[in-house]
Amino acid sequence: MNRPGVVAMLSNKIQRINEDIQRVLSVHLRNIKDPRVKQGMISVTKVDTTGDLRYAKVFLSVYDLESEKEFMKGLKSASGYLRHELGQSLNLRYTPELQFELDKSIEHGARITSILNDLEIPEENQE
């Protein structure tokens, strides 16, 4: 039996959990001492949690990133600490396993803006 009200209620709950995870991780990412992670300004742009709350894909935007490979290694190393802090902060049945991905949309948008600003478009003559 398909019950749209239940599905909407579950998706709202997942959305709230995603926002809570995003908020908590934003705070605790600043506390990581690993120099591989402290490469620039880190923003958690989005969190996607699976319906069973077992996994959370965390999208990060990093301004002024020096080494993507080292940054991801540092995050993997710190994921246990972050997951522990998440479990302490949120009262969930399961603390999701964290999977990190870089969100390059802000960097991509800045590049497009730069390209557009560099274009030399002749002004039209108004007669």
Side-chain angles (χ1 to χ4, degrees):
M1 183 163 99
N2 189 6
R3 299 183 338 202
V6 172
V7 172
M9 200 166 49
L10 286 175
S11 66
N12 285 339
K13 180 180 179 185
I14 296 289
Q15 186 176 356
R16 278 195 318 272
I17 290 170
N18 287 340
E19 291 168 0
D20 289 343
I21 291 172
Q22 184 174 355
R23 179 180 41 78
V24 170
L25 287 180
S26 293
V27 170
H28 290 291
L29 277 167
R30 292 185 191 108
N31 298 334
I32 295 175
K33 305 268 189 279
D34 191 329
R36 296 176 295 182
V37 177
K38 289 204 169 269
Q39 289 189 36
M41 189 173 73
I42 304 170
S43 298
V44 181
T45 56
K46 182 179 176 184
V47 176
D48 280 336
T49 307
T50 57
D52 61 0
L53 303 178
R54 299 284 184 175
Y55 300 94
K57 189 177 283 190
V58 181
F59 294 89
L60 301 170
S61 176
V62 184
Y63 181 73
D64 208 19
L65 181 64
E66 295 166 16
S67 170
E68 181 178 329
K69 186 176 180 181
E70 289 301 310
F71 179 73
M72 295 306 282
K73 281 183 184 178
L75 278 177
K76 188 172 185 176
S77 173
S79 65
Y81 161 76
L82 291 170
R83 188 175 183 201
H84 172 76
E85 293 300 321
L86 201 58
Q88 295 293 313
S89 301
L90 304 177
N91 187 17
L92 300 173
R93 179 175 289 165
Y94 303 108
T95 302
E97 186 176 318
L98 303 173
Q99 301 169 333
F100 296 99
E101 281 198 28
L102 283 179
D103 179 0
K104 297 182 180 180
S105 61
I106 294 172
E107 180 182 307
H108 185 69
R111 185 169 174 265
I112 289 173
T113 301
S114 172
I115 290 170
L116 290 174
N117 288 338
D118 290 345
L119 289 177
E120 292 186 24
I121 302 173
E123 291 185 29
E124 292 183 22
N125 290 335
Q126 301 274 341
E127 291 185 26

